[in-house]
Amino acid sequence: MCGIVGYVGNRPALNVILDGLRRLEYRGYDSAGVAVLDGRGGLAVERKAGQLRNLEARLDELDVPFEGTAGMGHTRWATHGGPTDRNAHPHRDGTGKVAVVHNGIIENFAPLRAELEAAGVELTSDTDTEAAAHLVARAYADGPTAGDLAASVRAVCRRLHGAFTLLFTHAEHPDMIVAARRSSPLVVGLGEGETFLASDVAAFIEHTRDAVELGQDQVVTIRRDGYDVTDLDGNPAEAKPFRVTWDLAAAEKGGHDYFMLKEIEEQPTAVANTLRGHLTDRRIVLDEQRLADGDLRDVDKVFVVACGTAYHSGLLAKYAIEHWTRLPVEVELASEFRYRDPVLDRQTLVVAISQSGETMDTLEAVRHAKEQKARVLAICNTNGAQIPRESDAVLYTHAGPEIGVAATKTFTSQIAANYLVGLALAQARGTKYPDEVAREFAELEAMPDAMAAALDGVEAARELARDLAPSRAVLFLGRHVGFPVALEGALKLKELAYMHAEAFAAGELKHGPIALIEDGLPVVVVMPSPKGRAVLHAKLLSNIQEITARGARTVVIAEEGDETIRPFAHHLLEVPAVPTLLQPLVSTVPLQVLAAEIARARGYDVDKPRNLAKSVTVE
Ligand code: M6R
């Protein structure tokens, strides 16, 4: 939810930190701040509300040189306390010697603040974070942890409830940063004579690909020449080293105005990467499979839990898994799942879908499922994130870094991954022969080419976007697998263009929503194939006529060669003909482009929609 960077090395820290923050801004952009240790006992801090560029402008105006080769930075998505200068991180203690940056929520902040206030400490922000700076300063000043920054941090973290990544600096320790994590991401980057800390490797990928993933409730101290890790009690602890497989180019815009536009174009490659290596000898192989074959065979019910776009991909999983395995599948918003006491046991498979692998709602759903003894399989795009760590098995989408806040290539990759799970279940349960599994897989493998063809045809969506930009609202209709696509199209339009956008299952139209149709209202209709789904096609054709008769302006996504639709579409966006279950992989593409281009035409920042952040690490 917030982005965090720490650096101890030989280069001017400020530049390294600002570059890192720029790559983490997708995590939040309500405010930004830096703290640099000057090596002479000074700790310079500057913070500013708004995007990172506001902080950079402020730093340019200052004559105070932010000299020093160690420091940290933060880019914020506000939870406790509005997005103002005074609530921006880093926060300091009263002496100004200790600084902290934080990602997550300290749930017991209220009693901690009350305790500090009772002790005469003046709090200068409305955040849950500031208390941590004062508490560490006090633990460092006096008592059993006096003079030991790491021990002080451990002692304070033992008292904290909630989720946190916390980085602390102390002016008296210009060559080190102490950090702690619980249910919130933190990785260490190991360079030559320099060490990094970050919420995401993207922050330091330009300098090193050697990284270490911190475990739950671990505390790390970084110095120029390395790091050490302990648990919260100070016992040495193991952290997992890994090498980042993608490079800086993957985290750059590659000539596009926005990351999102680049990521839309990357979809054929992303889906190909998701599928790569998963079929061996006509058998589906998942990644880290800590489930025995027998576990999958014994599954008698599947729950899919996810949020936002990932939830829409989950809705599609239901069509494939039920069709291929005859297992009942329930798809549930992760934020609702554990609060309604779902019926789970050892034979339940819970599929948790999350691009980031750190969405708190989904993580809590996973924890709930595990408590009830269900098996959990994660579908995730981020290696080693918390959700796959806590799951029994994981299938990584390998879509590469997605920086635009709006999910695009990870959505289509999740669809492909869901289908792999469906095929793995079908093979384990024997509802598909190996030949059939291989045939379905081959159809999936043909999809990157079909998606590339869909991308070749998006000019019509771009042109239409300029036309639709002044609209107040847009409705979306779909049926069968076209319904989740309609939901996803509406979500993209809401989050990027701030337009009222709502999707309906087309069959529901006559049960109420048709009352919304008025003269000129744009309605996007996702058509099924006239051959693959002739009955539904005919029904949607009738729906189109019903809304046209009431003044709607129809934008129809239809299969190439579907001539029957032409007379009824005010605007036609064609996509390649593909098998029914795979249609969402192509029909989503023009909807993503439409939303991005409408947002652009309305003058909005496509990569950083207001009020949002890429990873939602709070419930
Ligand atoms: O990282 P996750 O896949 O768990 O994120 C879930 C949602 O927050 C995410 O899909 C969100 O809805 C996107 N901004 C939509 O574009």
Side-chain angles (χ1 to χ4, degrees):
M1 234 38 216
C2 300
I4 287 178
V5 187
Y7 176 73
V8 183
N10 295 307
R11 286 185 265 180
L14 184 64
N15 296 341
V16 177
I17 295 165
L18 290 174
D19 284 349
L21 288 181
R22 215 163 286 127
R23 300 223 163 76
L24 296 188
E25 246 197 318
Y26 71 87
R27 301 181 66 85
Y29 30 85
D30 286 334
S31 65
V34 287
V36 175
L37 294 145
D38 69 7
R40 299 183 299 274
L43 175 65
V45 171
E46 193 55 52
R47 39 204 205 142
K48 199 82 198 125
Q51 294 190 14
L52 181 62
R53 58 170 179 254
N54 296 3
L55 173 71
E56 290 176 309
R58 175 83 188 119
L59 288 167
D60 285 345
E61 282 163 24
L62 293 174
D63 359 330
V64 187
F66 270 68
E67 281 170 1
T69 57
M72 60 192 191
H74 186 264
T75 175
R76 177 171 189 241
W77 187 81
T79 57
H80 294 57
T84 58
D85 286 356
R86 84 186 218 114
N87 290 329
H89 301 212
H91 292 283
R92 276 168 294 179
D93 75 311
T95 67
K97 285 190 168 183
V98 174
V100 63
V101 293
H102 171 213
N103 172 30
I105 289 183
I106 298 171
E107 286 169 1
N108 57 332
F109 75 99
L112 295 174
R113 282 176 69 102
E115 172 189 315
L116 288 164
E117 278 167 341
V121 173
E122 189 194 343
L123 293 160
T124 57
S125 77
D126 315 310
T127 64
D128 52 332
T129 307
E130 188 190 346
H134 295 285
L135 291 169
V136 166
R138 289 161 76 84
Y140 182 87
D142 202 11
T145 56
D148 184 337
L149 184 58
S152 305
V153 168
R154 288 194 294 264
V156 170
C157 288
R158 285 198 296 268
R159 300 187 60 199
L160 304 182
H161 302 167
F164 50 80
T165 298
L166 290 158
L167 267 58
F168 294 91
T169 54
H170 195 299
E172 289 169 13
H173 297 281
D175 291 333
M176 77 193 231
I177 300 176
V178 179
R181 79 165 283 265
R182 175 185 298 158
S183 300
S184 198
L186 179 62
V187 278
V188 181
L190 304 173
E192 290 285 320
E194 55 187 4
T195 311
F196 306 80
L197 285 168
S199 313
D200 175 343
V201 292
F204 55 70
I205 187 76
E206 170 178 9
H207 309 292
T208 179
R209 290 207 206 171
D210 289 318
V212 178
E213 179 191 311
L214 269 289
Q216 186 75 334
D217 277 350
Q218 290 188 342
V219 174
V220 61
T221 302
I222 65 159
R223 296 190 178 77
R224 195 163 282 124
D225 57 356
Y227 70 101
D228 60 72
V229 183
T230 67
D231 62 19
L232 288 186
D233 293 321
N235 305 307
E238 292 266 318
K240 194 169 148 201
F242 66 102
R243 191 156 164 82
V244 183
T245 50
W246 45 273
D247 58 14
L248 183 63
E252 299 282 356
K253 285 185 197 153
H256 293 266
D257 292 343
Y258 289 101
F259 282 109
M260 180 184 174
L261 302 176
K262 170 179 159 251
E263 288 155 4
I264 288 173
E265 286 199 3
E266 286 172 344
Q267 291 184 102
T269 312
V271 168
N273 288 344
T274 303
L275 297 173
R276 183 161 299 118
H278 285 299
L279 188 81
T280 308
D281 286 341
R282 298 176 303 154
R283 279 190 67 75
I284 298 291
V285 187
L286 303 183
D287 287 0
E288 288 174 32
Q289 185 52 298
R290 299 180 289 264
L291 287 172
D293 269 7
D295 294 334
L296 285 186
R297 206 170 30 246
D298 291 346
V299 167
D300 65 4
K301 183 171 188 183
V302 179
F303 274 99
V304 182
V305 292
C307 303
T309 290
Y311 169 74
H312 296 154
S313 87
L315 292 174
L316 291 164
K318 179 177 170 78
Y319 293 91
I321 299 176
E322 287 188 340
H323 181 59
W324 288 335
T325 68
R326 310 312 301 145
L327 279 169
V329 180
E330 280 191 45
V331 189
E332 182 114 18
L333 289 165
S335 52
E336 291 294 317
F337 180 69
R338 73 181 169 130
Y339 297 104
R340 70 161 184 83
D341 202 11
V343 182
L344 306 163
D345 59 30
R346 286 195 79 73
Q347 282 171 276
T348 313
L349 179 71
V350 173
V351 180
I353 310 172
S354 173
Q355 181 284 131
S356 60
E358 55 177 301
T359 298
M360 190 52 74
D361 293 309
T362 312
L363 179 58
E364 289 297 350
V366 166
R367 288 176 176 163
H368 182 75
K370 294 215 67 174
E371 273 162 25
Q372 309 293 310
K373 308 280 181 261
R375 324 277 179 163
V376 179
L377 187 156
I379 292 178
C380 184
N381 195 43
T382 312
N383 265 50
Q386 196 66 22
I387 290 172
R389 287 160 75 109
E390 296 196 21
S391 301
D392 296 301
V394 54
L395 177 53
Y396 284 112
T397 42
H398 301 295
E402 188 177 71
I403 311 291
V405 164
T408 51
K409 63 176 177 174
T410 55
F411 174 62
T412 40
S413 302
Q414 282 162 357
I415 298 172
N418 292 338
Y419 289 1
L420 289 178
V421 172
L423 290 177
L425 278 167
Q427 119 193 325
R429 294 170 53 76
T431 52
K432 272 199 184 296
Y433 293 119
D435 283 355
E436 294 173 301
V437 169
R439 225 173 7 253
E440 298 288 358
F441 188 84
E443 286 188 347
L444 271 167
E445 272 189 316
M447 288 313 293
D449 285 346
M451 295 170 79
L455 282 162
D456 287 344
V458 293
E459 195 44 44
R462 277 201 195 103
E463 278 166 25
L464 177 60
R466 286 185 280 278
D467 237 29
L468 295 184
S471 311
R472 266 190 324 112
V474 179
L475 298 188
F476 290 74
L477 297 179
R479 264 190 109 132
H480 192 254
V481 293
F483 177 43
V485 173
L487 287 166
E488 176 61 7
L491 176 62
K492 290 282 97 88
L493 200 56
K494 276 183 252 209
E495 71 179 326
L496 296 173
Y498 319 148
M499 281 162 93
H500 179 83
E502 215 176 329
F504 300 102
E508 278 294 291
L509 199 60
K510 56 193 173 298
H511 300 290
I514 198 163
L516 292 168
I517 307 292
E518 57 187 22
D519 217 24
L521 179 78
V523 182
V524 177
V525 187
V526 184
M527 287 298 287
S529 160
K531 296 181 219 100
R533 277 272 176 267
V535 175
L536 287 183
H537 184 274
K539 291 193 191 303
L540 264 157
L541 213 52
S542 305
N543 293 145
I544 290 179
Q545 292 178 62
E546 287 155 16
I547 58 174
T548 309
R550 289 163 175 84
R553 177 180 174 194
T554 55
V555 175
V556 181
I557 317 276
E559 189 174 293
E560 275 161 6
D562 180 354
E563 293 305 322
T564 49
I565 197 69
R566 242 168 235 288
F568 307 105
H570 292 107
H571 308 276
L572 186 60
L573 302 176
E574 290 182 302
V575 291
V578 297
T580 295
L581 280 173
L582 304 180
Q583 202 210 21
L585 290 168
V586 289
S587 51
T588 303
V589 173
L591 296 183
Q592 295 167 337
V593 173
L594 199 63
E597 297 295 340
I598 291 178
R600 253 202 328 182
R602 287 164 78 102
Y604 302 137
D605 185 336
V606 171
D607 284 334
K608 297 188 192 112
R610 71 182 177 205
N611 304 336
L612 290 174
K614 182 92 186 143
S615 310
V616 185
T617 55
V618 293
E619 258 194 279

